[in-house]
Amino acid sequence: MFHQLSGKNVLILFHNDLRVMDNATLSKAAKLSRDGRLLLVYASSLMDILDNQNSQAAYHYDTMGVARQQFLQESLADLNTSLELLGNKLLHLHKTPTSPNTFMQLNELIEAQQVTDICVSQTADYYQNQIYVRLQNKHPQIRWHIETTATLFDELPLDDLPKSFTQFRKKIEADYDLLHAAQDIAICATPERLAPIPESLVDRCEYEYFFKAGEDNAQAISQQKQQSSNFKGGESNGLNHLKSYFNSDAPSTYKITRNALDEWTHSTKFSAWLANGSLSVNTILNRLRRYERDVIANDSTYWIWFELLRREYFYWYAVTHQQKLFWFKGIGQHTPSTQLDQKKLEQWRNGDTAYPIVNACMHQLKATGYMSNRGRQLVASCFIHELGLDWRYGATYFEQHLIDYDVASNWGNWQYLAGVGADPRGCRQFNLDKQTQQYDPNGKFIHQWQGVLKQDS
Ligand SMILES: Cc1cc2nc3c(=O)[nH]c(=O)nc-3n(C[C@H](O)[C@H](O)[C@H](O)COP(=O)(O)OP(=O)(O)OC[C@H]3O[C@@H](n4cnc5c(N)ncnc54)[C@H](O)[C@@H]3O)c2cc1C
């Protein structure tokens, strides 16, 4: 049994902040636990306890896609390595045959280890916040510390969230132009050393929740061999990618190439590391500023900042609208006329529609967990307009498979395209033939991802 020392027993509940560099939550926990003990926890499947209302349960998906699982596992493994170098290690609460409820596991850990303080990162994820509320209610004596790790701003820097991204961007650029500010954004120092894990756990070297690579999903991944992918999860890989991207010429042509369907260097590919917090947006922005100083500042480098601001907009959009992010009518007043049709839904998911470009994108998504921004717009437009389907099922399928799944960017963009979100002009329909001509004139992408179906299908 753990005997309480004079110091605090601090627990970090990691979520989308899987890094040690520029992680204000880790820094805060390191300070609080200086004379005490520190528990570093990642808990899978916590949302299972939230009745039926969360997106996964409501629109039918049981498990994460294989590519997404794999990216997450790589990210956790890398985090664990970094934490071990700092003198602690990651605990990964996950379902086991004898203990299928990770929320209960977490509560047991909190009680057994007499946790005094919990540190988490601020999140726009409504359901994750519901988990925090439940924990707070269950353990009212514990002190909570919430830090900013995912965004450029600690809070919405405007009185209200503007109705469109354009209005938001203009206001931000007028008052908070971080791209051209005199100083770099301050980066939170990585702790030199972390307080140890409680003795009672150290003594149990077979403790079942010490992180082990692949424990959640080894079987699933080995059953469905992954396409080799440039996306390798984890902070070290994210930082390597950041370095090689800004050591190349790609940033100087980003605005011209960003709509391409498949080339690695044609867009930044930061999204997957940003989404689970392996890379901090502050670090990316500082590197972009350096590129502008040392190499070139042009429309393309500006446009990277522009897109990071779009990400920021959707974050504050999700914070502002809470559950409405998942409502069929979104933030609007009118329920769309689209509906669920299981057969069409399956055709779309399997890349088995009458639209080769859509099929190719959907095959790419299933195989790699990634799809370009252009691809996402086209398949979503097809889903809503050509197939007449309820947009929430499309968003949920993306949630299941995207390695860069981010609650705010995903559900916010789907709402936008469905005409129930942040778009004063109403819904967006793309002409799929024209788009194919423009973005895949020689059919290379469609061929590569087998978008043309056999005659009998
Ligand atoms: C229907 C739909 C669903 C989407 N779901 C997600 C999602 O779950 N997670 C996610 O990160 N992005 C999502 N996006 C946004 C965008 O498609 C991806 O961020 C982008 O394709 C990732 O590739 P990249 O990093 O090379 O982007 P780049 O073009 O290099 O952009 C740089 C960064 O800016 C941000 N960004 C770019 N475009 C957008 C955008 N439209 N909305 C918000 N942020 C943006 C991303 O963080 C991205 O990494 C979605 C877009 C659509 C149309």
mmCIF file of all heavy atoms in Angstrom, residues 254 258 267-271 274-275 304 307-308 310-311 314 370-373 376-377 380 398 402 404-406 409-410 413-414 417, ligand 1:
data_model
loop_
_atom_site.group_PDB
_atom_site.id
_atom_site.type_symbol
_atom_site.label_atom_id
_atom_site.label_comp_id
_atom_site.label_asym_id
_atom_site.label_seq_id
_atom_site.Cartn_x
_atom_site.Cartn_y
_atom_site.Cartn_z
ATOM 1 N N TYR A 254 3.783 25.884 -51.242
ATOM 2 C CA TYR A 254 2.623 25.233 -50.597
ATOM 3 C C TYR A 254 1.280 25.680 -51.198
ATOM 4 O O TYR A 254 0.409 24.858 -51.494
ATOM 5 C CB TYR A 254 2.650 25.523 -49.088
ATOM 6 C CG TYR A 254 1.379 25.145 -48.376
ATOM 7 C CD1 TYR A 254 1.102 23.821 -48.069
ATOM 8 C CD2 TYR A 254 0.431 26.118 -48.026
ATOM 9 C CE1 TYR A 254 -0.085 23.464 -47.424
ATOM 10 C CE2 TYR A 254 -0.751 25.771 -47.385
ATOM 11 C CZ TYR A 254 -1.007 24.447 -47.091
ATOM 12 O OH TYR A 254 -2.176 24.100 -46.472
ATOM 13 N N ARG A 258 -1.005 22.677 -52.595
ATOM 14 C CA ARG A 258 -1.723 22.124 -51.445
ATOM 15 C C ARG A 258 -2.997 21.337 -51.794
ATOM 16 O O ARG A 258 -3.461 20.517 -51.015
ATOM 17 C CB ARG A 258 -2.104 23.238 -50.448
ATOM 18 C CG ARG A 258 -2.969 24.322 -51.034
ATOM 19 C CD ARG A 258 -3.237 25.407 -50.022
ATOM 20 N NE ARG A 258 -4.355 25.066 -49.161
ATOM 21 C CZ ARG A 258 -5.626 25.320 -49.449
ATOM 22 N NH1 ARG A 258 -5.961 25.935 -50.587
ATOM 23 N NH2 ARG A 258 -6.581 24.972 -48.619
ATOM 24 N N SER A 267 1.455 19.081 -49.448
ATOM 25 C CA SER A 267 0.903 19.827 -48.307
ATOM 26 C C SER A 267 1.791 19.464 -47.113
ATOM 27 O O SER A 267 2.650 18.591 -47.224
ATOM 28 C CB SER A 267 -0.566 19.481 -48.062
ATOM 29 O OG SER A 267 -0.700 18.121 -47.710
ATOM 30 N N THR A 268 1.573 20.096 -45.985
ATOM 31 C CA THR A 268 2.568 19.937 -44.902
ATOM 32 C C THR A 268 2.542 18.556 -44.232
ATOM 33 O O THR A 268 3.528 18.132 -43.652
ATOM 34 C CB THR A 268 2.324 20.970 -43.780
ATOM 35 O OG1 THR A 268 1.083 20.659 -43.130
ATOM 36 C CG2 THR A 268 2.312 22.395 -44.305
ATOM 37 N N LYS A 269 1.387 17.909 -44.245
ATOM 38 C CA LYS A 269 1.201 16.610 -43.548
ATOM 39 C C LYS A 269 1.471 16.734 -42.038
ATOM 40 O O LYS A 269 1.856 15.775 -41.385
ATOM 41 C CB LYS A 269 2.093 15.503 -44.150
ATOM 42 C CG LYS A 269 1.943 15.311 -45.649
ATOM 43 C CD LYS A 269 0.552 14.840 -46.042
ATOM 44 C CE LYS A 269 0.393 14.491 -47.506
ATOM 45 N NZ LYS A 269 0.607 15.576 -48.456
ATOM 46 N N PHE A 270 1.241 17.900 -41.479
ATOM 47 C CA PHE A 270 1.420 18.057 -40.023
ATOM 48 C C PHE A 270 0.217 17.526 -39.239
ATOM 49 O O PHE A 270 0.279 17.317 -38.032
ATOM 50 C CB PHE A 270 1.590 19.539 -39.652
ATOM 51 C CG PHE A 270 2.876 20.153 -40.151
ATOM 52 C CD1 PHE A 270 2.934 21.511 -40.447
ATOM 53 C CD2 PHE A 270 4.020 19.391 -40.294
ATOM 54 C CE1 PHE A 270 4.112 22.089 -40.903
ATOM 55 C CE2 PHE A 270 5.204 19.962 -40.748
ATOM 56 C CZ PHE A 270 5.242 21.312 -41.055
ATOM 57 N N SER A 271 -0.916 17.342 -39.951
ATOM 58 C CA SER A 271 -2.183 17.154 -39.239
ATOM 59 C C SER A 271 -2.200 15.990 -38.249
ATOM 60 O O SER A 271 -2.766 16.111 -37.165
ATOM 61 C CB SER A 271 -3.330 16.987 -40.244
ATOM 62 O OG SER A 271 -3.049 15.894 -41.102
ATOM 63 N N LEU A 274 -0.292 16.867 -35.189
ATOM 64 C CA LEU A 274 -1.000 17.945 -34.483
ATOM 65 C C LEU A 274 -2.228 17.410 -33.758
ATOM 66 O O LEU A 274 -2.528 17.808 -32.634
ATOM 67 C CB LEU A 274 -1.475 18.997 -35.491
ATOM 68 C CG LEU A 274 -0.574 20.176 -35.782
ATOM 69 C CD1 LEU A 274 -1.182 21.018 -36.905
ATOM 70 C CD2 LEU A 274 -0.365 21.027 -34.540
ATOM 71 N N ALA A 275 -2.931 16.487 -34.424
ATOM 72 C CA ALA A 275 -4.213 16.037 -33.877
ATOM 73 C C ALA A 275 -4.046 15.334 -32.541
ATOM 74 O O ALA A 275 -4.845 15.536 -31.630
ATOM 75 C CB ALA A 275 -4.919 15.120 -34.877
ATOM 76 N N ILE A 304 0.364 28.748 -45.060
ATOM 77 C CA ILE A 304 0.470 27.721 -44.006
ATOM 78 C C ILE A 304 -0.101 28.295 -42.700
ATOM 79 O O ILE A 304 -0.872 27.642 -41.988
ATOM 80 C CB ILE A 304 1.930 27.251 -43.838
ATOM 81 C CG1 ILE A 304 2.417 26.580 -45.126
ATOM 82 C CG2 ILE A 304 2.066 26.294 -42.650
ATOM 83 C CD1 ILE A 304 3.891 26.204 -45.134
ATOM 84 N N GLU A 307 -3.864 28.341 -42.872
ATOM 85 C CA GLU A 307 -4.524 27.049 -42.577
ATOM 86 C C GLU A 307 -4.425 26.707 -41.090
ATOM 87 O O GLU A 307 -5.339 26.096 -40.533
ATOM 88 C CB GLU A 307 -3.941 25.928 -43.441
ATOM 89 C CG GLU A 307 -4.236 26.068 -44.933
ATOM 90 C CD GLU A 307 -5.722 26.111 -45.278
ATOM 91 O OE1 GLU A 307 -6.557 25.677 -44.471
ATOM 92 O OE2 GLU A 307 -6.058 26.618 -46.376
ATOM 93 N N LEU A 308 -3.337 27.098 -40.460
ATOM 94 C CA LEU A 308 -3.256 26.863 -39.004
ATOM 95 C C LEU A 308 -4.312 27.696 -38.280
ATOM 96 O O LEU A 308 -4.860 27.278 -37.255
ATOM 97 C CB LEU A 308 -1.852 27.180 -38.480
ATOM 98 C CG LEU A 308 -0.749 26.219 -38.948
ATOM 99 C CD1 LEU A 308 0.616 26.696 -38.467
ATOM 100 C CD2 LEU A 308 -1.004 24.785 -38.453
ATOM 101 N N ARG A 310 -7.190 28.346 -39.609
ATOM 102 C CA ARG A 310 -8.475 27.662 -39.849
ATOM 103 C C ARG A 310 -8.653 26.565 -38.783
ATOM 104 O O ARG A 310 -9.728 26.369 -38.238
ATOM 105 C CB ARG A 310 -8.510 27.048 -41.251
ATOM 106 C CG ARG A 310 -9.936 26.755 -41.703
ATOM 107 C CD ARG A 310 -9.995 25.869 -42.921
ATOM 108 N NE ARG A 310 -9.259 26.331 -44.073
ATOM 109 C CZ ARG A 310 -9.768 27.118 -45.031
ATOM 110 N NH1 ARG A 310 -11.008 27.528 -44.953
ATOM 111 N NH2 ARG A 310 -9.032 27.460 -46.071
ATOM 112 N N ARG A 311 -7.568 25.872 -38.504
ATOM 113 C CA ARG A 311 -7.627 24.851 -37.438
ATOM 114 C C ARG A 311 -8.042 25.494 -36.115
ATOM 115 O O ARG A 311 -8.885 24.997 -35.381
ATOM 116 C CB ARG A 311 -6.248 24.178 -37.318
ATOM 117 C CG ARG A 311 -6.093 23.288 -36.109
ATOM 118 C CD ARG A 311 -4.693 22.681 -36.065
ATOM 119 N NE ARG A 311 -4.511 21.842 -34.901
ATOM 120 C CZ ARG A 311 -4.085 22.282 -33.719
ATOM 121 N NH1 ARG A 311 -3.785 23.564 -33.558
ATOM 122 N NH2 ARG A 311 -3.971 21.459 -32.709
ATOM 123 N N PHE A 314 -11.756 26.274 -36.000
ATOM 124 C CA PHE A 314 -12.639 25.133 -35.723
ATOM 125 C C PHE A 314 -12.545 24.698 -34.261
ATOM 126 O O PHE A 314 -13.522 24.212 -33.691
ATOM 127 C CB PHE A 314 -12.351 23.971 -36.680
ATOM 128 C CG PHE A 314 -13.036 24.152 -38.020
ATOM 129 C CD1 PHE A 314 -12.299 24.244 -39.190
ATOM 130 C CD2 PHE A 314 -14.415 24.250 -38.101
ATOM 131 C CE1 PHE A 314 -12.931 24.418 -40.420
ATOM 132 C CE2 PHE A 314 -15.065 24.428 -39.328
ATOM 133 C CZ PHE A 314 -14.312 24.511 -40.487
ATOM 134 N N TYR A 370 -5.220 8.348 -44.249
ATOM 135 C CA TYR A 370 -5.065 9.751 -44.654
ATOM 136 C C TYR A 370 -5.807 9.986 -45.970
ATOM 137 O O TYR A 370 -5.933 9.097 -46.797
ATOM 138 C CB TYR A 370 -3.582 10.112 -44.830
ATOM 139 C CG TYR A 370 -3.381 11.571 -45.198
ATOM 140 C CD1 TYR A 370 -3.439 12.574 -44.230
ATOM 141 C CD2 TYR A 370 -3.182 11.944 -46.533
ATOM 142 C CE1 TYR A 370 -3.309 13.911 -44.582
ATOM 143 C CE2 TYR A 370 -3.040 13.291 -46.885
ATOM 144 C CZ TYR A 370 -3.102 14.264 -45.903
ATOM 145 O OH TYR A 370 -2.975 15.590 -46.247
ATOM 146 N N MET A 371 -6.270 11.204 -46.139
ATOM 147 C CA MET A 371 -6.841 11.656 -47.410
ATOM 148 C C MET A 371 -6.557 13.149 -47.494
ATOM 149 O O MET A 371 -6.587 13.848 -46.466
ATOM 150 C CB MET A 371 -8.359 11.416 -47.411
ATOM 151 C CG MET A 371 -9.025 11.581 -48.767
ATOM 152 S SD MET A 371 -10.836 11.666 -48.628
ATOM 153 C CE MET A 371 -11.265 10.047 -48.103
ATOM 154 N N SER A 372 -6.256 13.629 -48.700
ATOM 155 C CA SER A 372 -5.942 15.060 -48.858
ATOM 156 C C SER A 372 -7.172 15.910 -48.523
ATOM 157 O O SER A 372 -8.304 15.410 -48.529
ATOM 158 C CB SER A 372 -5.541 15.336 -50.307
ATOM 159 O OG SER A 372 -6.668 15.112 -51.139
ATOM 160 N N ASN A 373 -6.933 17.179 -48.330
ATOM 161 C CA ASN A 373 -8.059 18.080 -48.058
ATOM 162 C C ASN A 373 -9.017 18.108 -49.246
ATOM 163 O O ASN A 373 -10.235 18.075 -49.080
ATOM 164 C CB ASN A 373 -7.532 19.478 -47.750
ATOM 165 C CG ASN A 373 -8.654 20.420 -47.357
ATOM 166 O OD1 ASN A 373 -9.396 20.142 -46.431
ATOM 167 N ND2 ASN A 373 -8.800 21.516 -48.083
ATOM 168 N N ARG A 376 -11.082 14.998 -49.225
ATOM 169 C CA ARG A 376 -12.118 15.026 -48.174
ATOM 170 C C ARG A 376 -13.322 15.860 -48.628
ATOM 171 O O ARG A 376 -14.482 15.507 -48.378
ATOM 172 C CB ARG A 376 -11.542 15.618 -46.875
ATOM 173 C CG ARG A 376 -10.471 14.736 -46.279
ATOM 174 C CD ARG A 376 -9.849 15.336 -45.015
ATOM 175 N NE ARG A 376 -8.505 14.797 -44.862
ATOM 176 C CZ ARG A 376 -7.849 14.672 -43.717
ATOM 177 N NH1 ARG A 376 -8.409 15.066 -42.600
ATOM 178 N NH2 ARG A 376 -6.632 14.175 -43.673
ATOM 179 N N GLN A 377 -13.035 16.971 -49.296
ATOM 180 C CA GLN A 377 -14.139 17.822 -49.760
ATOM 181 C C GLN A 377 -14.979 17.091 -50.810
ATOM 182 O O GLN A 377 -16.204 17.164 -50.796
ATOM 183 C CB GLN A 377 -13.589 19.121 -50.332
ATOM 184 C CG GLN A 377 -13.006 20.021 -49.256
ATOM 185 C CD GLN A 377 -12.366 21.265 -49.841
ATOM 186 O OE1 GLN A 377 -11.610 21.200 -50.803
ATOM 187 N NE2 GLN A 377 -12.664 22.401 -49.264
ATOM 188 N N ALA A 380 -16.980 14.102 -49.253
ATOM 189 C CA ALA A 380 -18.057 14.605 -48.388
ATOM 190 C C ALA A 380 -19.169 15.211 -49.243
ATOM 191 O O ALA A 380 -20.370 15.005 -48.984
ATOM 192 C CB ALA A 380 -17.517 15.631 -47.402
ATOM 193 N N PHE A 398 -15.127 9.007 -40.962
ATOM 194 C CA PHE A 398 -13.833 9.718 -40.920
ATOM 195 C C PHE A 398 -13.211 9.585 -39.528
ATOM 196 O O PHE A 398 -12.022 9.359 -39.381
ATOM 197 C CB PHE A 398 -14.040 11.197 -41.251
ATOM 198 C CG PHE A 398 -13.914 11.555 -42.707
ATOM 199 C CD1 PHE A 398 -14.213 10.638 -43.709
ATOM 200 C CD2 PHE A 398 -13.506 12.830 -43.083
ATOM 201 C CE1 PHE A 398 -14.098 10.985 -45.055
ATOM 202 C CE2 PHE A 398 -13.389 13.191 -44.418
ATOM 203 C CZ PHE A 398 -13.680 12.259 -45.406
ATOM 204 N N LEU A 402 -9.480 8.261 -39.828
ATOM 205 C CA LEU A 402 -8.430 9.268 -40.062
ATOM 206 C C LEU A 402 -7.349 9.206 -38.980
ATOM 207 O O LEU A 402 -7.666 9.317 -37.789
ATOM 208 C CB LEU A 402 -9.032 10.676 -40.046
ATOM 209 C CG LEU A 402 -9.744 11.173 -41.293
ATOM 210 C CD1 LEU A 402 -10.352 12.556 -41.012
ATOM 211 C CD2 LEU A 402 -8.799 11.253 -42.488
ATOM 212 N N ASP A 404 -5.437 11.555 -38.525
ATOM 213 C CA ASP A 404 -5.380 12.921 -37.990
ATOM 214 C C ASP A 404 -6.740 13.331 -37.414
ATOM 215 O O ASP A 404 -7.023 14.535 -37.303
ATOM 216 C CB ASP A 404 -4.908 13.928 -39.042
ATOM 217 C CG ASP A 404 -5.864 14.070 -40.227
ATOM 218 O OD1 ASP A 404 -7.023 13.633 -40.153
ATOM 219 O OD2 ASP A 404 -5.426 14.638 -41.248
ATOM 220 N N TYR A 405 -7.554 12.337 -37.032
ATOM 221 C CA TYR A 405 -8.887 12.687 -36.541
ATOM 222 C C TYR A 405 -8.805 13.711 -35.408
ATOM 223 O O TYR A 405 -8.100 13.523 -34.422
ATOM 224 C CB TYR A 405 -9.658 11.444 -36.052
ATOM 225 C CG TYR A 405 -10.920 11.870 -35.337
ATOM 226 C CD1 TYR A 405 -11.955 12.470 -36.043
ATOM 227 C CD2 TYR A 405 -11.034 11.761 -33.959
ATOM 228 C CE1 TYR A 405 -13.095 12.920 -35.396
ATOM 229 C CE2 TYR A 405 -12.181 12.212 -33.303
ATOM 230 C CZ TYR A 405 -13.198 12.788 -34.037
ATOM 231 O OH TYR A 405 -14.325 13.258 -33.394
ATOM 232 N N ASP A 406 -9.564 14.753 -35.606
ATOM 233 C CA ASP A 406 -9.623 15.815 -34.602
ATOM 234 C C ASP A 406 -11.093 16.216 -34.518
ATOM 235 O O ASP A 406 -11.711 16.531 -35.535
ATOM 236 C CB ASP A 406 -8.764 16.993 -35.075
ATOM 237 C CG ASP A 406 -8.963 18.212 -34.219
ATOM 238 O OD1 ASP A 406 -8.321 18.284 -33.163
ATOM 239 O OD2 ASP A 406 -9.764 19.095 -34.593
ATOM 240 N N SER A 409 -11.958 19.810 -36.077
ATOM 241 C CA SER A 409 -11.738 19.959 -37.525
ATOM 242 C C SER A 409 -12.640 19.019 -38.309
ATOM 243 O O SER A 409 -13.128 19.365 -39.386
ATOM 244 C CB SER A 409 -10.278 19.665 -37.886
ATOM 245 O OG SER A 409 -9.441 20.635 -37.337
ATOM 246 N N ASN A 410 -12.838 17.823 -37.796
ATOM 247 C CA ASN A 410 -13.641 16.869 -38.558
ATOM 248 C C ASN A 410 -15.114 17.264 -38.571
ATOM 249 O O ASN A 410 -15.712 17.492 -39.620
ATOM 250 C CB ASN A 410 -13.479 15.461 -37.976
ATOM 251 C CG ASN A 410 -14.184 14.423 -38.833
ATOM 252 O OD1 ASN A 410 -13.922 14.313 -40.026
ATOM 253 N ND2 ASN A 410 -15.107 13.688 -38.253
ATOM 254 N N ASN A 413 -15.741 20.728 -40.224
ATOM 255 C CA ASN A 413 -15.687 20.739 -41.693
ATOM 256 C C ASN A 413 -16.884 20.027 -42.301
ATOM 257 O O ASN A 413 -17.421 20.453 -43.320
ATOM 258 C CB ASN A 413 -14.391 20.077 -42.179
ATOM 259 C CG ASN A 413 -13.245 21.082 -42.309
ATOM 260 O OD1 ASN A 413 -13.277 21.948 -43.179
ATOM 261 N ND2 ASN A 413 -12.267 20.972 -41.433
ATOM 262 N N TRP A 414 -17.309 18.935 -41.691
ATOM 263 C CA TRP A 414 -18.500 18.238 -42.219
ATOM 264 C C TRP A 414 -19.728 19.138 -42.113
ATOM 265 O O TRP A 414 -20.537 19.225 -43.038
ATOM 266 C CB TRP A 414 -18.734 16.919 -41.465
ATOM 267 C CG TRP A 414 -18.007 15.758 -42.087
ATOM 268 C CD1 TRP A 414 -16.782 15.280 -41.725
ATOM 269 C CD2 TRP A 414 -18.450 14.931 -43.178
ATOM 270 N NE1 TRP A 414 -16.433 14.217 -42.518
ATOM 271 C CE2 TRP A 414 -17.439 13.972 -43.419
ATOM 272 C CE3 TRP A 414 -19.589 14.898 -43.981
ATOM 273 C CZ2 TRP A 414 -17.535 12.999 -44.419
ATOM 274 C CZ3 TRP A 414 -19.697 13.925 -44.982
ATOM 275 C CH2 TRP A 414 -18.677 13.002 -45.193
ATOM 276 N N LEU A 417 -19.605 21.687 -44.873
ATOM 277 C CA LEU A 417 -19.954 21.179 -46.204
ATOM 278 C C LEU A 417 -21.429 20.794 -46.302
ATOM 279 O O LEU A 417 -22.025 20.854 -47.369
ATOM 280 C CB LEU A 417 -19.070 19.974 -46.547
ATOM 281 C CG LEU A 417 -17.608 20.346 -46.796
ATOM 282 C CD1 LEU A 417 -16.715 19.123 -46.748
ATOM 283 C CD2 LEU A 417 -17.446 21.058 -48.143
HETATM 284 C C1 LIG B 1 -14.793 16.716 -44.375
HETATM 285 C C2 LIG B 1 -13.463 17.102 -43.786
HETATM 286 C C3 LIG B 1 -13.012 16.498 -42.621
HETATM 287 C C4 LIG B 1 -11.782 16.858 -42.047
HETATM 288 N N1 LIG B 1 -11.350 16.229 -40.905
HETATM 289 C C5 LIG B 1 -10.187 16.613 -40.331
HETATM 290 C C6 LIG B 1 -9.725 16.002 -39.146
HETATM 291 O O1 LIG B 1 -10.366 15.125 -38.554
HETATM 292 N N2 LIG B 1 -8.519 16.406 -38.638
HETATM 293 C C7 LIG B 1 -7.782 17.389 -39.232
HETATM 294 O O2 LIG B 1 -6.693 17.706 -38.748
HETATM 295 N N3 LIG B 1 -8.215 17.998 -40.337
HETATM 296 C C8 LIG B 1 -9.378 17.643 -40.926
HETATM 297 N N4 LIG B 1 -9.796 18.257 -42.077
HETATM 298 C C9 LIG B 1 -9.023 19.396 -42.585
HETATM 299 C C10 LIG B 1 -7.947 19.075 -43.632
HETATM 300 O O3 LIG B 1 -8.480 18.264 -44.634
HETATM 301 C C11 LIG B 1 -6.717 18.404 -43.034
HETATM 302 O O4 LIG B 1 -6.266 19.139 -41.896
HETATM 303 C C12 LIG B 1 -5.571 18.357 -44.034
HETATM 304 O O5 LIG B 1 -5.974 17.701 -45.205
HETATM 305 C C13 LIG B 1 -4.386 17.653 -43.406
HETATM 306 O O6 LIG B 1 -3.312 17.566 -44.305
HETATM 307 P P1 LIG B 1 -2.067 18.529 -44.133
HETATM 308 O O7 LIG B 1 -1.560 18.478 -42.755
HETATM 309 O O8 LIG B 1 -1.109 18.209 -45.211
HETATM 310 O O9 LIG B 1 -2.744 19.943 -44.365
HETATM 311 P P2 LIG B 1 -2.116 21.319 -44.861
HETATM 312 O O10 LIG B 1 -2.824 21.721 -46.098
HETATM 313 O O11 LIG B 1 -0.665 21.226 -44.944
HETATM 314 O O12 LIG B 1 -2.542 22.359 -43.738
HETATM 315 C C14 LIG B 1 -1.684 22.675 -42.629
HETATM 316 C C15 LIG B 1 -2.459 22.448 -41.346
HETATM 317 O O13 LIG B 1 -3.556 23.350 -41.288
HETATM 318 C C16 LIG B 1 -4.683 22.721 -40.695
HETATM 319 N N5 LIG B 1 -5.781 22.678 -41.683
HETATM 320 C C17 LIG B 1 -5.676 22.656 -43.034
HETATM 321 N N6 LIG B 1 -6.904 22.654 -43.591
HETATM 322 C C18 LIG B 1 -7.791 22.656 -42.576
HETATM 323 C C19 LIG B 1 -9.214 22.655 -42.507
HETATM 324 N N7 LIG B 1 -9.998 22.647 -43.609
HETATM 325 N N8 LIG B 1 -9.793 22.629 -41.287
HETATM 326 C C20 LIG B 1 -9.047 22.639 -40.145
HETATM 327 N N9 LIG B 1 -7.693 22.657 -40.155
HETATM 328 C C21 LIG B 1 -7.080 22.661 -41.359
HETATM 329 C C22 LIG B 1 -4.244 21.316 -40.336
HETATM 330 O O14 LIG B 1 -3.829 21.319 -38.995
HETATM 331 C C23 LIG B 1 -3.062 21.062 -41.264
HETATM 332 O O15 LIG B 1 -2.137 20.121 -40.764
HETATM 333 C C24 LIG B 1 -11.007 17.878 -42.667
HETATM 334 C C25 LIG B 1 -11.468 18.480 -43.840
HETATM 335 C C26 LIG B 1 -12.666 18.089 -44.402
HETATM 336 C C27 LIG B 1 -13.126 18.743 -45.681
#
